[in-house]
Every structure is written in structure tokens, then in C-alpha cells.
Amino acid sequence: RPGESSGTILVAGNCQQVELFANGTSRGRIAPNAFTALPHPLFQFTNVTGPAGTLRADCFINGQIVATDTRSTPGTPTRLTLTADDASLRADGADLTRVVVRALDANNQVVPTSNAKVTFTVTGPGAVVGENPLILEAGVGAVYVKTALGQTGTISVGASAPGLTPASPVTVAATAFTD
């Protein structure tokens, strides 16, 4: 359920023991107990339920903390971000790049419960290939952007969704090709 943990927490690490804290309360210190045939087995904590908040895992070797990692429960989505796989494409009408959109909370975490309906806009010598608008799955989605034949310049891709701050546009250069 949104806002609550599943009850089972898996921690990956190459240490001898891990102590897990949920909202500041220790949930135990254990040795690896899951997938023990792996070179670095996992630490499985069960019955870790409660309200949304912060999980912290302290990693121990020879009784000393050697690493700590903290994760917080994602909040409500507030904004979109865009990332293009490539910075430039050949303007051959067939070259394309993937553009990934993510719904983030105020702490810049992906919100896996977001199923926002995202609309993409393109300016310049390119076009969206894929669903537009697109419904996010687990807070993430992607489309492809392809070049227009023989048209060079800057392709700018934007994304917006109701109730979220639109993504800053991502740009991709469409460069001349010779074949």
C-alpha cells in the first residue's frame, strides 16, 4: 500500500552484518540470510511494517560500521524530468534516441505509484515515436524522438502532466549526414 512498507526489506552489501533502522528504531542486526549461494548474499529483514519514513542500513565488518545507506519513502509527485540517451543524431530521417520521463517528489526520488498522463511536445526537426500522451508505469516512461530527413538543427523535447511541474526541455542536435 502507498505510504507503508511491504514488510520484507532486502539489503545488498558485502559486509558481515547489517543493522536496519526504520524511522530511527533498530529492527535488528543480522548476518546474510537470503540468496546465500551468491558471492555477496542479501540481508532479509521481515515484519518491518509501519508508516512511511526512512530506512537506514548500517554495514558492519569486524564489529565496526564501514558503510551506511539511507532511503526514504517517496512522497507525492511534484515534477517531471527528462533524460535523452543521446546528445546528437544524424538527420537521416531514421536516427532516433530514447527520451525517459520520470515523476519525482520534492526529494528528487522517483515516485513508483505515479501513473501520470504525460504529454510530450517537440520543436525543431524531429518527432515523437510512441504513445503521446503516455501513462507512466512505476513513475517512469519513455518515448523515442527521431530526426526529419535532411533537416538539421536543435530538437527540443518537453513533457507536462496535470498537477506536476513540467520537465525542463531536453535538447538533441540533428546533424548533417553523408552517405
Side-chain angles (χ1 to χ4, degrees):
R1 293 185 329 216
E4 292 193 12
S5 71
S6 67
T8 299
I9 306 295
L10 290 169
V11 177
N14 61 352
C15 48
Q16 296 166 337
Q17 293 181 316
V18 166
E19 185 170 8
L20 183 70
F21 294 85
N23 295 322
T25 301
S26 177
R27 297 305 183 115
R29 186 166 157 180
I30 62 172
N33 61 354
F35 305 100
T36 55
L38 293 174
H40 299 292
L42 300 180
F43 301 82
Q44 181 173 319
F45 293 85
T46 56
N47 299 317
V48 181
T49 58
T54 301
L55 291 175
R56 187 183 87 224
D58 291 343
C59 181
F60 290 84
I61 295 179
N62 296 326
Q64 300 294 315
I65 295 176
V66 295
T68 296
D69 193 28
T70 302
R71 299 286 180 207
S72 296
T73 306
T76 302
T78 59
R79 66 188 185 94
L80 297 174
T81 62
L82 288 173
T83 308
D85 287 348
D86 299 290
S88 66
L89 300 172
R90 294 183 339 151
D92 62 3
D95 203 5
L96 49 84
T97 188
R98 183 180 64 144
V99 177
V100 177
V101 60
R102 292 177 177 85
L104 303 181
D105 68 6
N107 295 314
N108 294 320
Q109 296 184 112
V110 172
V111 180
T113 56
S114 177
N115 60 352
K117 184 177 184 178
V118 177
T119 301
F120 296 90
T121 57
V122 176
T123 58
V128 170
V129 178
E131 293 181 47
N132 190 15
L134 170 75
I135 305 295
L136 297 182
E137 293 183 24
V140 180
V143 293
Y144 284 88
V145 173
K146 80 173 199 168
T147 60
L149 178 61
Q151 296 181 31
T152 60
T154 300
I155 302 168
S156 180
V157 182
S160 61
L164 301 178
T165 301
S168 296
V170 65
T171 58
V172 178
T175 60
F177 74 99
T178 53
D179 278 349

